[in-house]
């Protein structure tokens, strides 16, 4: 096994198209819509399209921050490394820890619907059986765990199949919804305005839920060490991916508002897409959208596993968590110890979920808790980008807007949503969200006392980093007329 002397992750496995697919799959369009539409409707009513719109604008600021930071520091830990090298190592560690907690909670929040949806295809009455759904979901999770363990190449191929089928179904239903004649509510442009929000607390709750919709595109940064030309590719893929899923989210949220009544949305819960499918195409549509959600759920389990295991790998490599997490498998070039650790933790949580309440209640609490973690580490990344590029912000209007003001807006929005939503969340969501962050203080202090080099960082400065990257470019440029056979699809 190799540790910090050789990173071990296989470079140049992912091309541009692969990375865009990963960004889209990370946001999990069908899963996010199924798991969160009823939750969003419960929080903001018909203002769901507005919540998604007003969260997308600052979210793009965070995407720009990630793209700019990825240009100057290619690291599987992404925000964990960037925040630690610009703001403070303690904040950097907590940023990485927040992602780890969010992703681990999502193992259950994602797998439970996968189990429930699988059962619904067999017998709709079985879908409400939480223990059985947890068992089937755990089987899906273990399958994806083995795929991720098998290496980035296998992961990419599985992702292309699952996400490709999902996108075909979703786009087909977008067109079918436009052509559908029946409606429960007349379309209203005010759904995109601020009028339907009842105060800042409601707006903050909607923003936090909307952040969960988009979450996952940053897997491109965690895969940067395995991506061809990642200084450019990771950021571009994230931008394209977020733009694409934004359009899908808006289209389906508007379709739900128009075609389903408020009571139908509340009653459907996580099965809202199946109900929408039945409304559009009776007898067949519901099952097709269930298949799309199932594919999306399994696909995003894969990308989330990639995120959390690469983050743990980076933390183990830096000795801010047990060094064993930084080991990679000799054959598959994957952080097998980190994968096994996440698998063990998730299986324990599956047992807890099996004894808990309904799938819908578990999802609601998990979405809110994950939203807190997302807002925290995205907010820190936005500030980190501004600090890293502070020396060049006033060289042009473009630098000021794209590198300073927009990321800062994204950061301020995320941190505001984090604070403002605290009074609206359930005790369970707060315990998971804030409690998970506080637990991270213990390993932080332990490994800080042990003297990890991470806590004595080389400051991340864009001017020096870009100059160094430009100076090394000729040595890393591939020879004309050759093609590295490890590359996957690319533009």
């Amino acid at each position: 096994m190799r540790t910090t002397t050789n990173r071990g992750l296989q470079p140049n496995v992912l091309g541009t198209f692969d990375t865009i697919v990963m960004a889209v799959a990370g946001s999990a369009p069908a899963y996010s819509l199924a798991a969160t539409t009823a939750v969003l409707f419960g929080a903001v009513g018909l203002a769901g399209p507005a919540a998604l719109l007003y969260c997308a604008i600052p979210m793009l600021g965070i995407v720009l921050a990630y793209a700019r930071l990825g240009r100057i520091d290619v690291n599987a830990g992404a925000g964990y490394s960037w925040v630690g090298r610009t703001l403070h190592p303690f904040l950097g560690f907590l940023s990485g820890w927040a992602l780890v907690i969010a992703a681990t909670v999502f193992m259950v929040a994602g797998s439970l619907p996968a189990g429930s949806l699988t059962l619904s295809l067999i017998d709709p009455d079985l879908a409400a059986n939480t223990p059985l759904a947890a068992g089937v979901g755990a089987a899906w999770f273990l399958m994806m765990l083995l795929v991720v363990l098998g290496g980035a190449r296998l992961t990419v191929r599985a992702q292309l199949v699952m996400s490709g089928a999902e996108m075909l179904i979703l786009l087909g239903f977008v067109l079918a919804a436009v052509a559908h004649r029946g409606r429960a509510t007349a379309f209203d442009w005010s759904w995109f305005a601020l009028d339907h929000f009842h105060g800042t607390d409601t707006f903050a709750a909607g923003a936090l839920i909307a952040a969960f919709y988009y979450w996952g595109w940053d897997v491109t940064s965690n895969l940067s060490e395995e991506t061809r030309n990642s200084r450019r590719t990771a950021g571009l893929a994230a931008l394209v991916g977020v733009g694409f899923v934004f359009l899908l989210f808006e289209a389906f949220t508007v379709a739900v508002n128009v075609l389903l009544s408020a009571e139908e949305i509340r009653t459907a819960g996580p099965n809202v897409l199946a109900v929408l499918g039945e409304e559009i195409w009776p007898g067949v549509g519901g099952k097709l959208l269930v298949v799309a959600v199932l594919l999306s759920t399994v696909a995003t389990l894969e990308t989330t596993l990639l995120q959390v295991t690469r983050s743990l790998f980076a933390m183990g490599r830096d000795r801010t968590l047990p060094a064993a997490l930084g080991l990679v498998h000799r054959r598959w070039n994957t952080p097998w110890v980190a994968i096994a650790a996440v698998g063990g933790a998730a299986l324990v949580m599956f047992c807890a979920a099996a004894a808990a309440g309904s799938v819908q209640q578990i999802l609601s609490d998990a979405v809110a808790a994950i939203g807190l973690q997302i807002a925290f580490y995205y907010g820190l990344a936005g500030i980190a980008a501004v600090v890293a590029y502070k020396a060049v912000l006033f060289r042009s209007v473009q630098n000021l807007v794209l590198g300073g003001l927009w990321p800062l807006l994204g950061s301020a929005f995320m941190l505001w949503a984090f604070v403002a939503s605290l009074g609206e969340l359930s005790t369970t969501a707060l315990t998971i969200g804030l409690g998970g962050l506080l637990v991270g203080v213990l390993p932080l202090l332990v490994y800080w006392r042990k003297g990890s080099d991470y806590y004595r960082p080389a400051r991340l400065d864009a001017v020096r980093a870009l100059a160094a990257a430009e100076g090394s470019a000729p040595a890393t440029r591939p020879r004309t007329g050759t093609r590295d056979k490890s590359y996957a699809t690319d533009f």
Side-chain angles (χ1 to χ4, degrees):
M1 301 299 172
R2 289 163 284 189
T3 56
T4 54
T5 56
N6 187 332
R7 289 184 171 185
L9 296 177
Q10 186 175 354
N12 300 328
V13 176
L14 302 177
T16 306
F17 180 72
D18 303 318
T19 315
I20 291 173
V21 170
M22 287 294 185
V24 173
S27 293
Y31 166 79
S32 297
L33 287 162
T36 321
T37 297
V39 178
L40 183 63
F41 186 86
V44 301
L46 294 172
L52 290 167
L53 172 63
Y54 295 119
C55 186
I57 295 170
M59 184 65 75
L60 285 173
I62 303 301
V63 175
L64 291 171
Y66 266 70
R68 291 170 74 84
L69 289 166
R71 287 183 61 197
I72 58 178
D73 182 19
V74 176
N75 192 294
Y80 154 80
S81 173
W82 304 332
V83 174
R85 293 182 61 189
T86 54
L87 305 183
H88 195 280
F90 285 6
L91 290 176
F93 179 86
L94 290 177
S95 178
W97 184 261
L99 188 152
V100 168
I101 295 297
T104 305
V105 171
F106 182 78
M107 295 301 103
V108 175
S111 298
L112 273 178
S116 181
L117 289 166
T118 303
L119 292 170
S120 72
L121 291 173
I122 301 169
D123 183 350
D125 294 333
L126 295 175
N129 188 322
T130 302
L132 191 57
V136 177
W140 278 116
F141 168 75
L142 289 173
M143 186 183 302
M144 287 300 100
L145 198 75
L146 292 175
V147 170
V148 171
L149 181 63
R153 190 183 302 280
L154 176 61
T155 302
V156 168
R157 290 171 178 170
Q159 194 61 251
L160 289 172
V161 172
M162 292 185 292
S163 294
E166 175 198 354
M167 290 305 108
L168 286 174
I169 295 173
L170 289 181
L171 291 174
F173 271 89
V174 167
L175 297 175
V178 171
H180 190 71
R181 294 183 178 180
R183 66 183 185 184
T185 307
F187 172 78
D188 194 331
W189 283 107
S190 70
W191 296 344
F192 294 90
L194 296 171
D195 300 345
H196 285 280
F197 295 109
H198 303 293
T200 56
D201 289 346
T202 304
F203 182 79
L208 203 65
I209 296 167
F212 177 82
Y213 272 83
Y214 296 110
W215 177 56
W217 56 263
D218 48 313
V219 66
T220 61
S221 296
N222 295 107
L223 291 169
S224 60
E225 294 181 27
E226 299 157 89
T227 303
R228 180 186 183 186
N229 191 22
S230 65
R231 294 184 189 276
R232 167 189 173 274
T233 302
L236 172 65
L239 188 62
V240 174
V242 170
F244 181 77
V245 297
F246 165 72
L247 295 175
L248 273 180
F249 289 152
E250 289 288 16
F252 271 92
T253 305
V254 168
V256 167
N257 279 1
V258 171
L259 300 179
L260 302 182
S261 67
E263 185 59 32
E264 285 176 315
I265 297 171
R266 293 191 187 96
T267 304
N271 295 318
V272 67
L273 279 196
V275 176
L276 178 67
E278 282 296 318
E279 174 65 28
I280 294 173
W281 190 358
V284 179
K287 290 190 179 299
L288 275 176
L289 279 180
V290 166
V291 170
V293 175
L294 181 58
L295 288 169
S296 179
T297 305
V298 175
T300 199
L301 279 176
E302 183 185 85
T303 58
T304 308
L305 276 167
L306 288 170
Q307 272 196 287
V308 66
T309 55
R310 268 50 178 183
S311 296
L312 287 172
F313 166 76
M315 297 165 99
R317 185 174 63 193
D318 291 342
R319 305 295 200 274
T320 56
L321 284 178
L325 295 171
L327 298 174
V328 297
H329 196 279
R330 287 188 179 275
R331 178 179 176 185
W332 297 318
N333 298 100
T334 51
W336 68 275
V337 177
I339 292 170
V342 171
L347 289 176
V348 170
M349 294 177 68
F350 276 117
C351 295
S358 68
V359 172
Q360 185 170 353
Q361 184 58 48
I362 294 170
L363 273 179
S364 180
D365 289 333
V367 166
I370 292 171
L372 280 178
Q373 308 284 353
I374 297 166
F376 177 78
Y377 82 83
Y378 277 176
L380 290 178
I383 298 173
V386 175
V387 172
Y389 278 84
K390 63 182 183 295
V392 300
L393 290 182
F394 294 97
R395 292 184 181 179
S396 70
V397 174
Q398 179 178 325
N399 272 348
L400 180 61
V401 174
L402 300 183
L405 297 179
W406 207 342
L408 204 57
L409 167 67
S411 176
F413 182 85
M414 292 297 165
L415 295 177
W416 171 80
F418 178 92
V419 174
S421 63
L422 293 177
E424 297 292 309
L425 300 182
S426 69
T427 302
T428 303
L430 285 173
T431 301
I432 297 171
L434 294 182
L437 269 179
L438 291 175
V439 168
V441 175
L442 181 60
L444 184 158
L445 294 176
V446 168
Y447 286 92
W448 170 61
R449 292 291 300 272
K450 287 185 177 182
S452 166
D453 288 342
Y454 173 83
Y455 294 106
R456 297 184 295 276
R459 303 297 294 178
L460 188 58
D461 179 80
V463 175
R464 290 197 301 267
L466 290 173
E470 289 171 3
S472 64
T476 58
R477 187 180 295 118
R479 292 173 294 171
T480 302
T482 65
R483 179 179 175 87
D484 187 333
K485 293 186 184 300
S486 66
Y487 295 160
T489 58
D490 204 353
F491 292 145

